[in-house]
Amino acid sequence: MLTRIDLRGSTSDPRRLLPRAALDVAAAMAAVRPVVEAVRERGAAAVREATERFDGVRLSTLRVPATAITDAVSGLDPAVRAALGEASTRARRVHTRQRRTDVSTQVVAGGTVTQRWRPVTRVGLYVPGGLAVYPSSVVMNVVPAQVAGVESLAVASPPQRETGLPHPLVLAACGLLGVDEVYAVGGAQAIAMFGFGSRGTGQPSGADAWPVRAGHTDHIAHCAPVDMVTGPGNVWVTAAKRLLRGVIGIDAEAGPTEIAILADDTADPRHVAADLISQAEHDPLAASVLITPSAGLIAAVEAELTRQVKATRHTDRITAALTGEQSAAVLVDDLEQGLRVVDGYGAEHLEVQTRDARAVAERVRNAGAIFVGAWSPVSLGDYCAGSNHVLPTGGCARHSSGLSVQTFLRGVQLIEYDEGALRDVAAHVVALAEAEDLPAHGQAVTARFDEP
């Protein structure tokens, strides 16, 4: 079922050897640009038109009524409610420990630099629809934003054709977390709405143009622009985020989900197969990659995949993902080469199922999240480990991190020097300003000491 790649004896860069799902964001940008521009110019009208065109839903209002959120919470299955509560509690426990503290450094007598951490003021959180429903993504986006101290949160999620509202599980998760600003908008139009607001270019000016705090009623009818958008989505969402980068901050450009498993002959093939299937269940473009020095394990996992896939609910989707070019069983010489392959690939999710799994996992440099040992499957992290499941894809783990409290914080430096401290360093400032042919920079210092 899995394509086999034999890297034994190879010294080539593994980034060139392990395929990924093709995702042409540049082409998608050209397709969504008219949608984004229409929302910028015409606001809510353009959002409604795009929603009817792409989702088949004609919206009377973009914002979800408070009663719909309350009803979703009331109708929530008790077991799901308990699970969401536990997921939120564990995520809040982990993310609370991530909160940075301000640090002040006395550089010299009379001269200090303080690093302050301040939250983004307003954030738009995107929760995808598509082949599955993701109340867990509400938890993963909202909790770190709340811990960071973001004062204004808005959620957007695609409407269902039957109700014109986001999935009730998404609404219920929002209600349980105290988020009452929710929009029944998906796709590129949701990102554009967050970036430009829903008023269009005729928006008012002045301090009261976009009220975002509790108590303002104008905020009910229209979505105010946000400072940042987070949350995964399809290629159209990713393209819109790339188009609007700079207008708004973004967390990352999410691609199809990935799992890589680094395993040796101690791994249970049933567990390995089940974990590869669990990620393949997301999307036909999902990547499931096994990296091992054991040819016997590959054969045993193949047999398990054949058996287990037949028993799954989403057999066609899973089969498409496992047989796609983005998935493979990779045979390596040993775990040393396996670690080089793992670091070159930079998987969104990496499982380590080997002898001394913790020691091996600690040597990994590039992965969005690392799941150690037989009892830490990726699906635990998807829901209830306490970690965050919004992670870098497409090899971006080589340079980027997953969603965390830090995503919503900005470092702001306070520089405070007194007269004596500035006088002591003035000559150095002038020397560097002259070297860079920016003499006015130096004069801005010396002017403070010149006699009038």
Side-chain angles (χ1 to χ4, degrees):
M1 182 169 287
L2 293 171
T3 300
R4 295 200 185 192
I5 300 176
D6 191 342
L7 295 184
R8 289 175 296 181
S10 172
T11 58
S12 299
D13 186 341
R15 287 178 292 185
R16 301 180 182 276
L17 301 175
L18 300 187
R20 278 193 156 93
L23 195 69
D24 194 343
V25 178
M29 287 173 66
V32 303
R33 189 183 296 274
V35 175
V36 171
E37 287 299 312
V39 173
R40 181 180 66 82
E41 294 170 3
R42 298 190 293 110
V47 173
R48 290 190 182 95
E49 289 169 10
T51 301
E52 185 169 6
R53 175 183 173 190
F54 298 119
D55 297 319
V57 176
R58 180 174 295 181
L59 298 174
S60 58
T61 180
L62 305 184
R63 183 161 173 171
V64 174
T67 52
I69 298 174
T70 302
D71 291 345
V73 173
S74 300
L76 193 58
D77 180 276
V80 176
R81 180 171 187 152
L84 285 171
E86 185 65 22
S88 300
T89 297
R90 294 187 180 202
R92 200 172 299 277
R93 186 177 301 146
V94 171
H95 288 80
T96 297
R97 295 293 297 274
Q98 296 174 355
R99 187 69 161 85
R100 292 185 178 183
T101 56
D102 296 354
V103 176
S104 185
T105 303
Q106 184 172 345
V107 183
V108 294
T112 62
V113 174
T114 301
Q115 182 83 343
R116 303 175 69 197
W117 295 99
R118 294 294 177 262
V120 174
T121 301
R122 177 165 165 80
V123 174
L125 308 174
Y126 187 79
V127 180
L131 296 176
V133 56
Y134 294 102
S136 59
S137 283
V138 179
V139 174
M140 298 297 172
N141 280 272
V142 168
V143 168
Q146 289 177 334
V147 171
V150 175
E151 67 180 60
S152 178
L153 293 175
V155 169
S157 191
Q160 298 185 300
R161 291 196 177 197
E162 299 79 10
T163 64
L165 297 170
H167 195 283
L169 286 177
V170 170
L171 295 180
C174 289
L176 291 174
L177 289 166
V179 178
D180 62 2
E181 187 182 349
V182 184
Y183 296 92
V185 182
Q189 61 269 27
I191 308 304
M193 178 189 71
F194 278 149
F196 299 117
S198 62
R199 290 185 184 275
T201 53
Q203 62 196 39
S205 59
D208 295 326
W210 296 107
V212 297
R213 293 178 176 81
H216 289 272
T217 57
D218 192 42
H219 181 217
I220 293 175
H222 285 281
C223 178
V226 303
D227 302 305
M228 172 177 239
V229 170
T230 69
N234 61 21
V235 66
W236 313 112
V237 170
T238 298
K241 288 169 80 172
R242 184 181 290 185
L243 272 174
L244 287 169
R245 194 170 198 162
V247 176
I248 51 173
I250 66 171
D251 53 344
E253 295 183 4
T257 190
E258 307 159 348
I259 182 174
I261 301 178
L262 179 62
D264 62 15
D265 57 3
T266 65
D268 187 326
R270 294 175 304 159
H271 299 168
V272 174
D275 295 351
L276 293 171
I277 289 170
S278 72
Q279 291 306 111
E281 184 177 39
H282 276 283
D283 190 288
L285 295 178
S288 295
V289 178
L290 169 62
I291 302 163
T292 179
S294 172
L297 178 65
I298 291 178
V301 168
E302 285 277 9
E304 280 295 325
L305 288 174
T306 300
R307 183 182 67 82
Q308 292 185 33
V309 168
K310 292 178 181 178
T312 60
R313 181 183 306 171
H314 305 295
T315 303
D316 292 344
R317 185 192 312 167
I318 292 168
T319 301
L322 292 176
T323 58
E325 64 176 3
Q326 73 276 10
S327 299
V330 183
L331 187 61
V332 293
D333 290 310
D334 49 32
L335 287 180
E336 289 298 320
Q337 186 188 20
L339 283 166
R340 292 194 296 273
V341 172
V342 161
D343 279 336
Y345 186 66
E348 178 188 15
H349 309 95
L350 173 67
E351 289 186 2
V352 178
Q353 297 193 38
T354 64
R355 296 176 180 85
D356 301 319
R358 177 59 185 264
V360 174
E362 287 180 344
R363 296 180 59 196
V364 175
R365 297 177 63 88
N366 301 330
I370 304 171
F371 298 81
V372 183
W375 306 107
S376 304
V378 166
S379 52
L380 173 67
D382 283 341
Y383 301 116
C384 288
S387 56
N388 202 293
H389 77 201
V390 182
L391 300 166
T393 60
C396 292
R398 295 193 300 269
H399 53 74
S400 299
S401 305
L403 197 72
S404 72
V405 172
Q406 312 315 325
T407 305
F408 302 98
L409 296 175
R410 299 156 299 124
V412 181
Q413 298 181 77
L414 276 69
I415 299 93
E416 187 175 13
Y417 272 54
D418 64 18
E419 180 181 348
L422 179 61
R423 187 184 297 276
D424 287 344
V425 79
H428 295 306
V429 175
V430 171
L432 290 171
E434 292 292 342
E436 294 186 350
D437 193 26
L438 297 171
H441 282 58
Q443 291 163 9
V445 172
T446 58
R448 286 165 163 75
F449 304 112
D450 291 342
E451 292 295 330

